[in-house]
Amino acid sequence: MIQLIRGFKDILPGEVEVWQHIESVARGLFEDFGFKEIRIPIMERTELFARSIGEDTDIVEKEMYTFPDRKGDLITLRPEATASICRSYIQHKMYAEDPVQKFYTIGPMFRRERPQKGRYRQFYQINAEIFGVASPLADVELIFLLKTLCERLSAGDVEAHINSLGCPECRPVFKTALQEYIASRTEALCSDCARRKDRNPLRVLDCKVPGCREAMQKAPSIIDHLCPACTQHFNTVQASLASLEVPFIVDKRLVRGLDYYTRTTFEIQTRSLGAQSAVAGGGRYDGLVKMLGGPDMPATGFAIGFDRLAEVVDLDKQAYIKKPDLALGIDGIQASMDFEGRSLKSQMKRAGRCGARYTLIVGEDERATGQAILRNMTTREQVSVPLAELVKNIKPLIKK
Ligand code: HAM
């Protein structure tokens, strides 16, 4: 038997209803906050992701599904959506009409990571991106939106972790301080970090290997190296979150696994998912649009891990599973019908199994008399209903 690919999964009926519910709550909220839906391709030129996410990141170095197409062009199954949304914003010159644009998109992403609970090779994200707003209040709006979504979905036990990664002015100063610190501990680093430490020392801060974590324990903090403008930006984020009563933790180790970030970065973390604690992650990426060939345009955004969110929401799954009201095809009533001409007994059994509340029996006798039998599957009570104007006659009888 052919099995699905490792790290991929089916989302089956029963689970799908929970996903539909999350999606509809998210869509409603995004629209209330003025975000418009955008749909971008599943594949892009490899170069787009390599340049945006960064050549020295785990995603680009080891996790992308990259292959030459039949003409030899290198293409990649998208590992994230931000790079594509920037490409689209630039390609369609959306900034010309109005630099401020707010987008959301929902769909699958692909990363060849080691599969475990909450970590898949095809996973789904809900993304939100705001272009053209330099104010820290845009970062705050995103974190507030995430908190509100978690509340609406009863995804309890989540907390916001925030940090600032500075800007092209102050980050090099921090990088130098970090490199000096790392130089005294190179023998403790894993081979990846030993290789990347000079070009991209921030990656060492993000490394999950225990030896590296240990070695970086006393590493300098970026927050102590921020320039006045970045400090002010970060202070406003914190003050505004506090005034909105959004609880947060300043987490100076939060550097994120993608290179495009500047200033505010954040994650929504939960304790209920074991090692994969981040339900959502994001931050500001003021340099990316320009780096990809667009105008100098600030931007900020996040992505929610849909699979992880679906695991932490506290929903009565049974309440979302749709069951037919009636085991027959009738307009305007959720119904299912037997097409196989089985015996009445086996049809009744199937109707019971599919969870129908009522069954309508229309046999030879009923057709002759013009009266069908409506059976309540719970109480087993039966009543006659005239076949003429059936829908009109049935609706009041099966009202919930
Ligand atoms: P990210 O932190 O790489 O950020 O991913 C965001 C979220 O996607 C994670 O917090 C996690 O919930 C989920 N996720 C990531 N990898 C997996 C996986 N293998 N299996 C299941 N869930 C996963 C980004 O992707 C950025 N593009 C976010 C962003 C948008 N930043 C600015 N705008």
Side-chain angles (χ1 to χ4, degrees), residues 31-58:
E31 313 254 324
D32 287 351
F33 276 74
F35 288 79
K36 299 218 167 74
E37 183 171 4
I38 182 169
R39 299 191 187 188
I40 37 160
I42 302 259
M43 287 195 265
E44 298 267 5
R45 289 175 197 281
T46 302
E47 195 194 346
L48 174 69
F49 299 118
R51 278 176 51 196
S52 308
I53 300 169
E55 299 275 2
D56 305 318
T57 57
D58 281 351

Side-chain angles (χ1 to χ4, degrees), residues 344-399:
L344 180 61
K345 197 167 153 211
S346 81
Q347 287 190 40
M348 295 301 282
K349 232 197 220 157
R350 273 225 52 225
R353 220 181 289 147
C354 79
R357 295 192 298 127
Y358 291 86
T359 303
L360 188 78
I361 304 163
V362 192
E364 302 264 311
D365 294 351
E366 287 76 20
R367 252 178 287 161
T369 57
Q371 295 276 329
I373 297 169
L374 184 71
R375 180 181 169 93
N376 183 320
M377 299 299 281
T378 321
T379 64
R380 298 184 181 171
E381 271 172 285
Q382 303 196 155
V383 288
S384 289
V385 262
L387 274 171
E389 298 200 71
L390 189 62
V391 176
K392 203 178 103 204
N393 289 325
I394 279 183
K395 273 196 171 157
L397 294 172
I398 67 170
K399 248 197 339 236

